[in-house]
Amino acid sequence: GKVLGNRYEILEKIGDGGMALVYKAKCTLLNRYVAVKILREEFVNDEEFITKFKRESQAAASLSHPNIVSVYDVGLEDKNIHYIVMEYIKGKTLKELIKEKNGLSIEETLNISMDIADAIGNAHENGIIHRDIKPHNIMVTEDGRVKVTDFGIARAATSTTITNTNSIIGSAHYFSPEQARGGYIDEKSDIYSLGIVMYEMITGTVPFEGESPITVAIRHIQEQPKLPSEINSSVPKGLEKIIMKCIEKDQTLRYSNIKELLRDLKEFKIHGDTQVKEPYNS
Ligand code: ATP
Ligand code: MG
Ligand code: MG
């Protein structure tokens, strides 16, 4: 196959996103597999996308965490192939996993949620907001390790208002209300998206759907979601409370940081199953 940067031999395509294509490749110098994310051809002359792509590689490369995909290298070939070289993850996306199993067990949901929270927490500590947390951007290996990918629209936490005009926006199903409004975004926006992912893991479905991204976005702003236990009666109250606190529309009622969320998840993991059941109405 084609060789990029004199060392990355492109093998098969392993992923297809809105902005890029992802290939398995072999680094012939280090003799190891890598993943190479190549900016889609239609965007190679688009300054906005090139800037985004650079920002993505720099955001991810500035982080070093077991639950965040490592970035090894970036490159430009023939003045028109922009690429990012990453750690190759052998596994499935969380989206595929949820679909296959039609929702995950409480234990799987809890373990995966804690790993994602660890990854996001590390990004936040380093001043980076992911902004595109969704199951397509989370990989799970065969032995259950979790890796967050795609810092494609990540931003420095200090940046001001972000509007979504002229950009490929993340999937509306995981948008926080403030993101849907094009308003000010901070760490709590990632917490909301993670809450939607947790909701989907435990119920097999996202809380808000609709005919168009706009419809879905409006629902995130206006509509109260069904409780997870109304969809899956085996969802424990303790876990439900945690999920609902992540997806509070009012940012002041949401978990204010990942540490708080992790504390509750750990607490639930230790005591959740033995928690006293709420009394039945007599
Ligand atoms: P989006 O439309 O979500 O913005 P994108 O164009 O930014 O997508 P990615 O999400 O980074 O692209 O990658 C697309 C897909 O490629 C992922 O959903 C995943 O299936 C696969 N993939 C990405 N990175 C890796 C990796 N490091 N190892 C293995 N597979 C990967
Ligand atoms: Mg993606
Ligand atoms: Mg992306």
Side-chain angles (χ1 to χ4, degrees), residues 37 132 150 152:
K37 180 170 179 173
D132 198 15
D150 199 354

Side-chain angles (χ1 to χ4, degrees), residues 1-10 36-41 44-45 50 53-54 73-85:
K2 192 175 173 58
V3 176
L4 297 177
N6 285 323
R7 67 195 66 187
Y8 305 114
E9 188 187 350
I10 301 297
V36 177
K37 180 170 179 173
I38 303 180
L39 185 64
R40 282 181 175 279
E41 231 169 285
V44 294
N45 291 315
I50 293 167
F53 209 58
K54 279 187 189 147
D73 198 7
V74 290
L76 174 61
E77 188 99 355
D78 300 335
K79 292 201 166 110
N80 63 8
I81 303 176
H82 295 262
Y83 62 94
I84 301 174
V85 184

Side-chain angles (χ1 to χ4, degrees), residues 8 26 29 47 118 120 133 139 167 193 217 219 223 228 243:
Y8 305 114
K26 182 140 194 186
L29 292 188
E47 278 307 320
D118 270 335
I120 297 175
I133 292 295
M139 310 264 324
S167 53
S193 302
R219 293 197 167 135
E223 237 173 64
I243 295 172

Side-chain angles (χ1 to χ4, degrees), residues 68-278:
I68 296 175
V69 172
S70 302
V71 167
Y72 298 144
D73 198 7
V74 290
L76 174 61
E77 188 99 355
D78 300 335
K79 292 201 166 110
N80 63 8
I81 303 176
H82 295 262
Y83 62 94
I84 301 174
V85 184
M86 303 173 273
E87 173 185 8
Y88 168 67
I89 311 298
K90 190 168 180 283
K92 290 177 180 155
T93 68
L94 181 57
K95 190 71 186 181
E96 292 168 309
L97 210 62
I98 295 171
K99 240 191 189 155
E100 262 173 32
K101 301 191 177 185
N102 192 25
L104 307 182
S105 70
I106 294 163
E107 201 190 340
E108 281 173 305
T109 299
L110 210 50
N111 289 338
I112 293 174
S113 301
M114 288 168 80
D115 282 352
I116 302 171
D118 270 335
I120 297 175
N122 180 267
H124 291 177
E125 276 169 20
N126 288 286
I128 290 167
I129 303 167
H130 188 287
R131 302 206 315 145
D132 198 15
I133 292 295
K134 58 182 180 184
H136 325 67
N137 287 341
I138 293 153
M139 310 264 324
V140 184
T141 65
E142 272 161 17
D143 48 354
R145 284 177 306 123
V146 173
K147 298 273 186 179
V148 174
T149 67
D150 199 354
F151 283 72
I153 55 174
R155 282 289 191 286
T158 48
S159 70
T160 49
T161 311
I162 290 147
T163 53
N164 290 311
T165 45
N166 298 324
S167 53
I168 286 202
I169 54 174
S171 169
H173 292 109
Y174 307 90
F175 265 16
S176 64
E178 60 271 23
Q179 218 169 351
R181 269 191 241 104
Y184 181 83
I185 286 164
D186 64 11
E187 289 85 348
K188 291 193 279 297
S189 186
D190 280 346
I191 294 177
Y192 183 96
S193 302
L194 172 53
I196 300 291
V197 174
M198 290 168 68
Y199 189 110
E200 185 175 3
M201 284 193 271
I202 203 72
T203 65
T205 173
V206 288
F208 304 115
E209 284 178 299
E211 308 69 48
S212 71
I214 301 290
T215 319
V216 178
I218 291 170
R219 293 197 167 135
H220 278 284
I221 296 169
Q222 296 182 341
E223 237 173 64
Q224 266 321 113
K226 265 190 193 163
L227 290 173
S229 61
E230 291 177 68
I231 303 167
N232 170 2
S233 60
S234 68
V235 177
K237 276 281 169 248
L239 183 56
E240 178 164 279
K241 272 188 198 153
I242 295 173
I243 295 172
M244 297 310 286
K245 193 169 173 178
C246 289
I247 62 172
E248 280 285 356
K249 297 187 192 305
D250 181 343
Q251 292 165 75
T252 63
L253 299 176
R254 216 177 286 159
Y255 283 108
S256 53
N257 58 60
I258 287 284
K259 276 212 177 87
E260 271 183 29
L261 167 60
L262 268 168
R263 189 198 54 210
D264 279 5
L265 285 169
K266 279 175 192 155
E267 180 77 15
F268 175 78
K269 192 174 168 145
I270 298 165
H271 303 294
D273 293 336
T274 57
Q275 238 176 21
V276 181
K277 289 220 170 65
E278 276 173 3

